[in-house]
Amino acid sequence: PLTSEEGQNNIMRLSLASRCFVATAVATSTCCSAFTTKSNPPPPSCANGPSPLAAVSDTELDRLFNKYDTDSNGSINREEFRAVADKMRASSRRREVLSVAAASFGSIFVASGSNTFQWGQKQFRSKYIEQDAEFSQSLVFPTAILSGDADLAIARTLRERGFTPQNTLFAHSICSDEVNNRSEQLVPLMSRRWGEAFALGGLGGLPFAGKSGFSAYFHHVPENGKLLIMFAPHVGIGPLGRIGALQRDGQSSLSSACGAAVGAYKELQKKKAAPVDPVTVLDLLKDEDTATEFDPQLGTIVDLLKPRLKDIDESTDSIAFVTYQMYGIIRELLYGVLNQTPDLFESCSEVAIVGGLMINRRIGGDFFQPLSFETCTKDSKHVDLFETTFGERPSLVPILGSEEAVERLFVGGSQVGGGGSSKQK
């Protein structure tokens, strides 16, 4: 309590300030509309100008002050002030709880919204799909599934093996094309599921991060954790079923997808290193788009694609053939780095690798054609997870034209550290 002479002389002034403080504190902590309204917000300070409680009636002011002035001496002492402080602290804690609850609800709502979108996409896609594009896809990518279904299937299999967002570091080797980062494409879906994602790929999906990039990725994994790598080239399908074409959002004309793969194929035709091909999707690229000067990534793709084009004239579709061979190129490079990393399992306990083709569609959803899925552990135990995850393997010989063309997709073996290959006939 105030006992000094000066304090007693200023009791009325302090009493008014106390009343101001109590009313303002309670109004702030309870968000009571009686004190703070949209039309009468409280001013920031009562040091100058009109009182901040001008909008509060004298009766309400007295009621609030008397609530905390328990000894009715007209001032607020330490113990009475403690009650005000406790009230403010409790209110602050309530606001924190409400904020956390709101954030949690929001995250659940977003996740549920994504799941609802995927459900609606599957249930109603028959009402709006492009029939020609659907037919072309079934012809050359016979077991392709919606990206959302692929994400769920992969997660279900890995969950049974102890993969969690907390112990797993996800990486992907896909093309830089922005179409691969649409919210319902496979990589964004997997990134949201597994958390942070390490980007290994460049043009065409080739792992241009190289050994240095892979080394960084390996050493970022949680202690005794797990690595998950997804790799895939991509290909568009136009509304009339043209493989390698895509009508992008905001554009009225078609463009190529994958532009790097189609461009490399066109460049090889210009160099007479590939059979003459009348496929019209090549016309979507201008000659300057395929120039390899100062373009090391495209130049690398051209060099690696060239020896893989044998039997392309026997295939169902030449751009589909090129896309499958791009898968083989990425796979060979990726496994090459893994097999040349003797200390790989000093950083992690298990590596899971899933590979396939990403299929871009204007409407009807983006798809994934799975081609491989396996895991390897510290003790060199290799497990093929493909059929338990995706079902029967696709028959590729009728699509690519020969068994040799299919075998080229899996050159170098399919197991981390070497071993046999898992070929699809």
Side-chain angles (χ1 to χ4, degrees):
L2 294 174
T3 56
S4 67
E5 179 179 355
E6 180 182 1
Q8 295 297 332
N9 290 337
N10 292 304
I11 187 66
M12 295 305 296
R13 180 160 57 88
L14 179 58
S15 177
L16 177 60
S18 300
R19 291 168 184 259
C20 292
F21 172 78
V22 170
T24 303
V26 174
T28 301
S29 64
T30 62
C31 301
C32 179
S33 61
F35 308 117
T36 305
T37 66
K38 290 184 178 179
S39 59
N40 296 294
S45 172
C46 61
N48 297 297
S51 167
L53 303 176
V56 182
S57 68
D58 289 339
T59 300
E60 187 66 20
L61 178 62
D62 289 338
R63 186 188 69 81
L64 286 171
F65 184 83
N66 291 333
K67 177 179 179 180
Y68 292 96
D69 183 19
T70 56
D71 57 8
S72 302
N73 69 348
S75 64
I76 299 294
N77 60 28
R78 177 181 291 274
E79 291 304 317
E80 292 168 339
F81 179 79
R82 187 190 303 278
V84 177
D86 289 342
K87 177 76 173 178
M88 294 176 65
R89 185 180 298 110
S91 177
S92 175
R93 288 172 179 169
R94 284 197 298 272
R95 287 196 299 272
E96 290 177 1
V97 171
L98 289 173
S99 297
V100 172
S104 300
F105 176 80
S107 63
I108 294 172
F109 178 80
V110 170
S112 299
S114 177
N115 293 336
T116 301
F117 175 86
Q118 293 178 47
W119 178 86
Q121 184 184 62
K122 293 172 62 177
Q123 296 299 317
F124 302 111
R125 68 182 308 273
S126 61
K127 307 296 183 183
Y128 58 89
I129 58 173
E130 300 159 327
Q131 294 295 340
D132 292 335
E134 198 80 355
F135 175 78
S136 294
Q137 177 174 296
S138 65
L139 189 66
V140 295
F141 309 118
T143 60
I145 56 179
L146 282 165
S147 298
D149 290 341
D151 169 51
L152 289 172
I154 294 167
R156 189 179 301 115
T157 296
L158 294 179
R159 190 182 305 117
E160 294 176 355
R161 299 189 62 84
F163 283 72
T164 68
Q166 291 72 36
N167 68 11
T168 302
L169 183 58
F170 172 55
H172 54 79
S173 190
I174 64 169
C175 184
S176 311
D177 196 322
E178 79 283 348
V179 75
N180 295 322
N181 288 300
R182 295 191 294 198
S183 60
E184 298 307 320
Q185 257 287 9
L186 184 55
V187 165
L189 288 172
M190 293 184 69
S191 297
R192 288 200 295 270
R193 180 179 297 278
W194 298 103
E196 297 175 332
F198 196 106
L200 298 169
L203 290 182
L206 274 66
F208 283 111
K211 292 182 178 180
S212 297
F214 273 90
S215 178
Y217 167 57
F218 298 154
H219 290 94
H220 292 176
V221 66
E223 292 183 8
N224 202 38
K226 301 173 184 288
L227 298 175
L228 169 59
I229 305 174
M230 195 284 286
F231 71 96
H234 74 114
V235 62
I237 303 181
L240 298 180
R242 187 159 49 155
I243 305 296
L246 181 66
Q247 186 172 352
R248 299 171 185 268
D249 293 340
Q251 295 187 351
S252 57
S253 59
L254 296 176
S255 62
S256 61
C258 169
V262 174
Y265 181 46
K266 184 173 183 177
E267 181 68 12
L268 288 169
Q269 287 201 324
K270 285 168 51 180
K271 295 178 177 180
K272 310 293 185 185
V276 176
D277 193 337
V279 63
T280 56
V281 73
L282 298 179
D283 297 332
L284 298 176
L285 287 175
K286 300 177 181 179
D287 288 343
E288 55 265 31
D289 294 329
T290 62
T292 56
E293 294 82 1
F294 306 109
D295 199 342
Q297 291 194 11
L298 183 60
T300 298
I301 296 173
V302 170
D303 292 340
L304 294 175
L305 182 61
K306 180 179 177 179
R308 292 175 171 268
L309 294 181
K310 182 182 178 182
D311 300 326
I312 190 172
D313 51 351
E314 302 294 330
S315 65
T316 301
D317 181 274
S318 57
I319 300 302
F321 183 96
V322 168
T323 304
Y324 276 104
Q325 295 304 321
M326 290 291 291
Y327 163 89
I329 292 172
I330 301 171
R331 180 189 181 89
E332 183 176 4
L333 293 173
L334 191 151
Y335 277 91
V337 173
L338 293 174
N339 287 326
Q340 295 174 28
T341 309
D343 61 343
L344 172 61
F345 290 107
E346 294 180 10
S347 303
C348 69
S349 61
E350 186 171 5
V351 182
I353 309 170
V354 57
L357 315 176
M358 293 192 301
I359 303 164
N360 310 128
R361 298 278 296 275
R362 184 176 70 91
I363 59 176
D366 294 317
F367 282 75
F368 180 69
Q369 170 61 68
L371 293 175
S372 61
F373 188 17
E374 68 171 327
T375 183
C376 179
T377 58
K378 264 183 179 180
D379 58 4
S380 298
K381 182 180 180 182
H382 297 82
V383 180
D384 192 327
L385 303 173
F386 186 92
E387 292 187 357
T388 58
T389 305
F390 301 115
E392 187 177 354
R393 299 178 187 274
S395 177
L396 300 182
V397 172
I399 301 168
L400 300 183
S402 70
E403 291 190 6
E404 183 181 352
V406 175
E407 290 174 355
R408 284 198 295 271
L409 304 186
F410 306 97
V411 67
S414 66
Q415 299 178 343
V416 178
S421 63
S422 176
K423 303 172 185 176
Q424 291 152 301
K425 301 296 184 181

